[in-house]
Amino acid sequence: MPAPDDDALDRLAHALGERLLATRHMLVTAESCTGGWIAKCMTDVAGSSAWFDCGMAAYSYEAKQALLGVRPQTLEAYGAVSRETVVEMVSGALVHSGASVAVAVTGIAGPGGGSADKPVGTVWIGWKRRGGYARAELFHFDGDRDAVRRQTVAAALRGVDGLLG
């Protein structure tokens, strides 16, 4: 499946914005490999202040700890690209914001940084509603850095939509 283009991401963001508004939810994003791209897509939509609370781009271990409350022990034991880390990221995003729904992403967009265990294209995405349990899913995206990041943004937005029920 080809990576979504800007128009496809824009359509996803507009549709999700309408759903967030209709369900009276506020969204927070916690992003590593996408560097704020999910937040950018959402805030490109006029009127997004009605349903977008904030976004945190936390690339380094230190930022994940300071901004999102990811425990150093989690990062040491499992690494930044793991189910455990994305669950702590998505939970921390809700704790440190006024939002009611959250999405978090952490992965290896490339071209370097991959390993046999976690090749380029490995991405964990987590979603959570305030008061609920976090859900995390592992993805293996194909393509170059841009393609991996675009596919991550699209999957993250689709997952938020699914979280709204």
Side-chain angles (χ1 to χ4, degrees):
M1 168 184 247
D5 62 13
D6 288 345
D7 288 339
L9 293 177
D10 187 57
R11 285 190 301 274
L12 281 171
H14 272 83
L16 180 55
E18 289 175 10
R19 289 275 323 255
L20 287 162
L21 186 62
T23 57
R24 298 176 190 242
H25 281 290
M26 292 290 283
L27 177 66
V28 59
T29 62
E31 305 181 60
S32 188
C33 62
T34 49
W37 200 337
I38 299 167
K40 181 212 178 298
C41 282
M42 296 308 292
T43 58
D44 280 349
V45 178
S48 57
S49 60
W51 41 262
F52 186 83
D53 185 54
C54 63
M56 292 164 256
Y59 241 61
S60 70
Y61 276 27
E62 293 78 10
K64 286 176 178 67
Q65 292 169 47
L67 297 175
L68 299 168
V70 175
R71 297 175 315 127
Q73 300 90 327
T74 301
L75 294 166
E76 290 167 15
Y78 303 102
V81 181
S82 65
R83 168 185 285 279
E84 293 78 6
T85 294
V86 84
V87 165
E88 289 186 19
M89 287 174 68
V90 76
S91 298
L94 285 173
V95 168
H96 293 96
S97 74
S100 53
V101 292
V103 60
V105 298
T106 183
I108 303 163
S115 67
D117 290 344
K118 297 176 185 178
V120 169
T122 301
V123 176
W124 278 98
I125 305 178
W127 301 272
K128 187 174 181 180
R129 287 173 70 147
R130 188 171 295 281
Y133 292 103
R135 181 172 78 82
E137 190 173 340
L138 175 62
F139 294 85
H140 295 284
F141 296 123
D142 293 322
D144 63 11
R145 181 176 181 80
D146 186 67
V148 169
R149 295 173 82 202
R150 286 177 176 279
Q151 291 169 86
T152 301
V153 171
L157 295 178
R158 287 188 198 104
V160 173
D161 188 63
L163 192 66
L164 299 177

